[in-house]
Amino acid sequence: AGLHAVARQAGKLYLGTATDNPELTTTAYTAILDNNQMFGQITAANSMKWDATEPSRGVFTFTNGDVIANLAQRNGQLLRGHNCVWHQQLPSWVTSGNFNAATLTSIIQTHCSTLVGHYKGRVRTWDVVNEPLNDDGSFRQDVFFNTLGQGYIATALRAAKAADPNAKVYINDFNIEGTGAKATAMKNLIRSLKSQGVPIDGVGLQSHFIVGQVPTTLVQNMQEFAALGVEVAITELDVRMTLPETAALLAQQKKDFQTVVAACQAVPQCVGITIWDFTDRFSFVPSTFPGQGAATPWDENLVKKPAFDGIVAGF
Ligand code: XIL
């Protein structure tokens, strides 16, 4: 059975994957990607980011993003927009522009409303703000925060919601999957936004995990987010290991995928799960975490690993 079909059977909205434009020429890959019983939701891994969509101020390019949006539409898969505002993959005209507060606010508004507006009606959910927090729970000292304070988050959420009122607007981050300082800060941020009437529909838990280290407080933490009146999604799931892979590591990885899926299953407000690409051939892990990898449910040769069965078993 396909993973999305199993997720739907279990009452979840979707099981999805990230994908990226250069990968689409590999037919053994697209044969799996295009199966909407396997994946019911798609996230563009790169092609809707700021550097890809507004490389120069006021110059928008949606060519690669449109390829992903059209793929999802053709396949009958939900589309997740990723993302409006993030400190990485930002063009230097944003980071080095030395803009004053009024100008940077307007730049954020223009970027979010143009990007979200371009895909209006086609995206279920936007990761509007990505990675706003440091691990200690303080706000990340990026160009947005340094110029505007935390108000940039409300600015981005409002602009995105106004551009596509039917899209769910999320904040997405890593290391907020278990309880702790960073998750507490995210809860406080959501509470504060809600008290100001700022649109916030959900929180994305990226979930870039390490084998054997899925947080034991995942369910409790998701319940605490849900209690604030937002939905929750697992948005970038992978479970990496120090290479080389061994049978024991792959067996633990299977359990880890199962644990994460079962956690989402245990929380009604957890709407779905996205894996951050489904094959080790295209995973971002080895380039970002040297010496680590094998983080996804399909191996380099597009053969299913034990982790695939772990996902099925979790629902
Ligand atoms: C990653 C992409 O997968 C890579 O191809 C790119 O080189 C760097 O970004 N958290 C996020 C994603 O929110 O946007 C990142 O995607 C992975 C970590």
Side-chain angles (χ1 to χ4, degrees), residues 209-250:
F209 292 134
I210 296 169
V211 162
Q213 296 183 35
V214 175
T216 54
T217 54
L218 186 53
V219 170
Q220 178 200 332
N221 189 49
M222 285 198 285
Q223 287 168 338
E224 288 177 11
F225 278 118
L228 302 177
V230 290
E231 56 180 51
V232 180
I234 304 284
T235 54
E236 304 185 14
L237 177 61
D238 49 27
V239 183
R240 64 186 183 267
M241 61 186 70
T242 299
L243 298 173
E245 63 182 39
T246 63
L249 287 166
L250 292 172

Side-chain angles (χ1 to χ4, degrees), residues 20 45-46 49 82-83 86 88-89 130-131 172 174 206 208 236 276 284 287-288:
D20 204 0
N46 285 298
K49 290 172 177 174
H82 180 83
N83 54 62
W86 186 31
Q88 285 183 24
Q89 292 175 273
N130 198 32
E131 304 183 350
N172 189 52
F174 63 93
Q206 288 187 7
H208 295 290
E236 304 185 14
W276 202 247
F284 89 116
S287 58
T288 302

Side-chain angles (χ1 to χ4, degrees), residues 238-289:
D238 49 27
V239 183
R240 64 186 183 267
M241 61 186 70
T242 299
L243 298 173
E245 63 182 39
T246 63
L249 287 166
L250 292 172
Q252 181 61 48
Q253 183 183 53
K254 172 185 177 178
K255 286 187 194 165
D256 293 335
F257 271 94
Q258 179 173 348
T259 298
V260 175
V261 171
C264 182
Q265 193 59 25
V267 180
Q269 295 89 346
C270 181
V271 294
I273 299 171
T274 308
I275 52 180
W276 202 247
D277 226 325
F278 63 87
T279 166
D280 296 339
R281 180 169 330 188
F282 297 134
S283 168
F284 89 116
V285 166
S287 58
T288 302
F289 304 97

Side-chain angles (χ1 to χ4, degrees), residues 35 53 193 202 306:
N35 174 359
T53 55
L193 292 166

